[in-house]
Amino acid sequence: MELPDTADWAGISRKDGKIYAAVAGKWAAYPELDAAKFAWDSTETGYGTPKPGTSEGQLHTNEVEVQLDRGTNNTYAELCAHQAGTAIYQDIATTPGVMYKISLKHTSQSKTHADGMQVLIGAPGREMAVEMTRTADQNGLNKVGERNATVVTKAFNEGYIDGAGSRYHDGQWATYEGTYLATGTVTRFTFRSVSAYKPDFGNLLDDISFEKAYPLSYDMNGGTGGPKQKNY
């Protein structure tokens, strides 16, 4: 998505159609926002009071922070928008009995802290942490094949780089994959910050996808009477 002005980040609240533009330093109506296509909500609550020279006015119920990597022109999300323990989530129509694969890229804001987050999936309000396996790593600091319910990715970029600011993350991403067996027609996919350098600094997410892995339907296997899985 295009960010307004010359900002390299912005807060988005799709429920009330507003944006916090870094340059303006305040929330305003955002008529260009397509709430249905953006689709992301957050657990952030409260409303900050704008003060000159600070970002206190950024706090906003349902805010999702989007950032722009100026080195690659890549847009991604930051879990730590402006409140500790913030989560972003999306409700997806699912088919009961079907296995879904989730894939995402994650990295820390900088080498200062190894940020950690969890993927929670389930019926809205009853999500549980899902174990994720690291399937790829760009910077060589994170072992491929590790599996854990908490995703932690080490980065080696500086917190601030001249000419690129604090949004330079090329070559710092690791890819994670997990699966979930749907039990209902609506499933909530939640991404929650569990460890970050600051409440409003850390846990970057990109390339999030949900796909059907295979349905749990079976044929009888010859004369053995045992189940044979049908690939999707």
Side-chain angles (χ1 to χ4, degrees), residues 140-201:
L141 298 179
N142 307 281
K143 184 178 179 181
V144 173
E146 288 186 340
R147 179 182 175 93
N148 204 297
T150 299
V151 169
V152 179
T153 309
K154 297 177 182 177
F156 61 70
N157 60 290
E158 300 290 341
Y160 185 89
I161 300 173
D162 288 339
S166 60
R167 315 284 184 231
Y168 188 78
H169 308 287
D170 189 27
Q172 301 300 318
W173 301 90
T175 303
Y176 298 83
E177 294 181 357
T179 56
Y180 173 77
L181 177 63
T183 59
T185 57
V186 177
T187 301
R188 179 166 292 177
F189 293 81
T190 300
F191 307 89
R192 182 179 65 190
S193 173
V194 296
S195 176
Y197 180 58
K198 294 180 180 179
D200 61 346
F201 192 93

Side-chain angles (χ1 to χ4, degrees), residues 19-100:
I19 185 169
Y20 182 90
V23 175
K26 61 182 181 180
W27 286 90
Y30 189 28
E32 296 89 349
L33 176 65
D34 188 328
K37 289 184 178 180
F38 186 67
W40 290 100
D41 294 304
S42 83
T43 60
E44 185 171 309
T45 58
Y47 297 93
T49 302
K51 293 181 181 179
T54 75
S55 61
E56 292 184 24
Q58 182 187 347
L59 180 66
H60 192 92
T61 295
N62 202 53
E63 177 194 8
V64 176
E65 184 169 320
V66 179
Q67 299 182 352
L68 173 66
D69 187 325
R70 294 234 176 257
T72 60
N73 206 36
N74 179 47
T75 304
Y76 55 91
E78 181 183 30
L79 282 185
C80 300
H82 208 73
Q83 195 170 65
T86 301
I88 64 173
Y89 63 90
Q90 187 173 149
D91 291 342
I92 304 293
T94 51
T95 302
V98 170
M99 189 73 75
Y100 287 80

